[in-house]
Amino acid sequence: LAEGELIADAPADSVLRDAAVMERASLVPPQIHELSGRLAADYPALAEVTCPAEMARLVIDLAEGGPGVEKSA
């Protein structure tokens, strides 16, 4: 809602990733959505991660050279 008007009717995860909707509603996206969005350009597998524990596991795999995450070309 923004000024009493419904501005998005979608699953919560989709709304939380929509920067324009979040700004219009005067909301700040959860940090996990912001982090996954920033990392997605270089690491597409992280684009949809919304669970902090899953993000931590994937980042640790990445740091250790594990198979969990590949850097984009």
Side-chain angles (χ1 to χ4, degrees), residues 7 12 14-30:
I7 58 172
S14 176
V15 173
L16 293 171
R17 290 182 183 282
D18 188 327
V21 169
M22 295 295 286
E23 184 176 333
R24 186 162 175 216
S26 300
L27 297 172
V28 177

Side-chain angles (χ1 to χ4, degrees), residues 46 51-64 67-69:
L46 299 178
C51 173
E54 178 70 5
M55 177 66 77
R57 185 187 65 74
L58 290 170
V59 170
I60 289 169
D61 281 353
L62 176 64
E64 292 177 348
V69 179

